[in-house]
Amino acid sequence: MTALMTLDHLEVGRKAKITRVLPDLSNRTRYAGMGIIRNSLVEVKRIAPLGDPMVLKIMGYELSLRKNEASHIEIEIL
């Protein structure tokens, strides 16, 4: 069984597949340039001590993303 949620709620060590980037036209192109596109696999590597930002592994590299940005990315937990 899979669960749908947004990336900001994914726990450290968990993996997911990006299902949709919610409409936020100001950041949509930026997300795509970082590899945050539909069907990409993502894993949360760590979260900063104060809870923001989070470090993700996506497309073979690590990416730091703020939780408010991650809240625009829908995922399916693997």
Side-chain angles (χ1 to χ4, degrees):
M1 184 172 148
T2 59
L4 292 174
M5 69 167 123
T6 55
L7 183 56
D8 59 316
H9 292 100
L10 192 63
E11 298 171 353
V12 173
R14 298 296 304 265
K15 296 180 183 180
K17 178 174 73 171
I18 296 173
T19 57
R20 183 167 78 136
V21 178
L22 299 174
D24 179 3
L25 298 178
S26 62
N27 286 324
R28 195 174 184 99
T29 303
R30 184 172 151 259
Y31 291 157
M34 293 186 287
I36 301 171
I37 55 175
R38 190 170 182 246
N39 293 323
S40 290
L41 299 179
V42 63
E43 176 185 1
V44 177
K45 299 300 280 183
R46 60 188 169 275
I47 297 176
L50 296 178
D52 204 21
M54 56 194 319
V55 177
L56 311 170
K57 183 172 184 179
I58 186 166
M59 299 183 81
Y61 67 94
E62 289 189 353
L63 168 71
S64 181
L65 195 66
R66 296 208 172 274
K67 284 201 171 186
N68 67 340
E69 295 172 315
S71 70
H72 295 269
I73 302 164
E74 284 187 350
I75 58 169
E76 178 182 335
I77 297 175
L78 301 178

